[in-house]
Amino acid sequence: MCVRLGITPDAISYLSILAALAAAVGFWKSGRNAWLLIIAPLFCYLRLWFNMLDGMVAVAAGKASARGEIVNDLPDRISDVIIFASIAQSGLMNFAIGYWTAILSLFTAYVGLFGQAIGGRRANSTTIICQDVYFVSSSTGAACDSNHDCS
């Protein structure tokens, strides 16, 4: 449907940052308004859905490229840092743990990119990732793209 409507994978990637910002505001303010702890994870879920959808649209539209890998990955890293930093600043936890989590999430992503740079294949078919994809897919009626091997 996104392909027919002319929605680009890049636009979907950038929408994931907006969803992360909405989640971040919810987490950040949740120290004073606990009900936001119900709303903020929903925006994380939306971010995850956009993260899955951008790759599916790229493949469906025949726009998968090396540049697309960067445009797909960079908003994800920005979103991770925004969300973890906002949780750190919420007052609900030791802020150092939240910031270390943000830093370590970048290292985790770097290891995957480093593996690709030296000719390896990024391991996106792990059980945890597939559970996320299946969870999002089954709840939205979307299907895994053909490049996502969840075996």
Side-chain angles (χ1 to χ4, degrees), residues 64-115:
S65 67
R67 179 193 166 279
E69 287 276 336
I70 294 168
V71 174
N72 176 50
D73 214 55
L74 188 59
D76 296 344
R77 301 300 68 85
I78 292 169
S79 296
D80 290 345
V81 170
I82 289 169
I83 290 170
F84 290 130
S86 69
I87 294 169
Q89 291 298 127
S90 70
L92 296 174
M93 64 176 298
N94 180 324
F95 74 93
I97 293 172
Y99 283 110
W100 274 109
T101 304
I103 291 166
L104 292 174
S105 75
L106 295 175
F107 282 138
T108 302
Y110 174 76
V111 168
L113 290 173
F114 181 70

Side-chain angles (χ1 to χ4, degrees), residues 11-68:
I12 296 168
S13 293
Y14 299 134
L15 284 173
S16 73
I17 295 176
L18 294 178
L21 285 170
V25 169
F27 284 124
W28 177 47
K29 297 291 186 179
S30 67
R32 291 183 294 276
N33 301 301
W35 63 271
L36 288 170
L37 289 173
I38 296 170
I39 305 299
L42 296 175
F43 283 104
C44 289
Y45 175 80
L46 181 63
R47 189 198 83 74
L48 178 63
W49 188 75
F50 284 141
N51 185 35
M52 179 192 70
L53 186 63
D54 62 357
M56 292 173 66
V57 170
V59 170
K63 293 184 177 183
S65 67
R67 179 193 166 279

